[in-house]
Amino acid sequence: MSPEEYQGLLKIASDQVPFGVYAIERQGYAELRNDHCKSVTQLKTLKRQFRGQGFKVMFNGGEKNAL
C-alpha cells in the first residue's frame, strides 16, 4: 500500500471514530483500530497502554491528536 493510500484510510478511520483511538503505528507497522471511548479517562488510559508498547497513537477527542 502506498503512503497516499494509507493517508486516505487514516482519514476514513478518523471520521468513523469521533471519540477514541483510530490507528496506531510503529516502525513500518500500522494498525487501524475502532476503539470508541466513553470518557476522557478511558481515552487517556488506552493511549498510555499503546504508548507504553512503543506505538504512535492517532485518536479523536481529548487534547491534541496523534501524540
Side-chain angles (χ1 to χ4, degrees):
M1 173 182 303
S2 73
E4 293 81 20
E5 290 173 319
Y6 175 63
Q7 291 302 319
L9 283 176
L10 278 181
K11 173 68 175 129
I12 292 168
S14 174
D15 293 342
Q16 297 301 310
V17 183
F19 190 77
V21 175
Y22 61 88
I24 56 175
E25 297 178 350
R26 174 174 55 184
Q27 298 176 339
Y29 174 81
E31 181 177 320
L32 297 178
R33 310 229 6 129
N34 191 16
D35 298 329
H36 294 269
C37 296
K38 295 182 181 188
S39 68
V40 173
T41 303
Q42 185 182 17
L43 177 59
K44 286 182 179 182
T45 301
L46 194 57
K47 289 187 313 188
R48 284 187 192 114
Q49 288 174 351
F50 287 125
R51 287 185 188 147
Q53 296 173 23
F55 286 100
K56 176 181 174 185
V57 181
M58 273 72 68
F59 62 94
N60 287 326
E63 71 275 355
K64 197 166 128 183
N65 287 356
L67 293 176

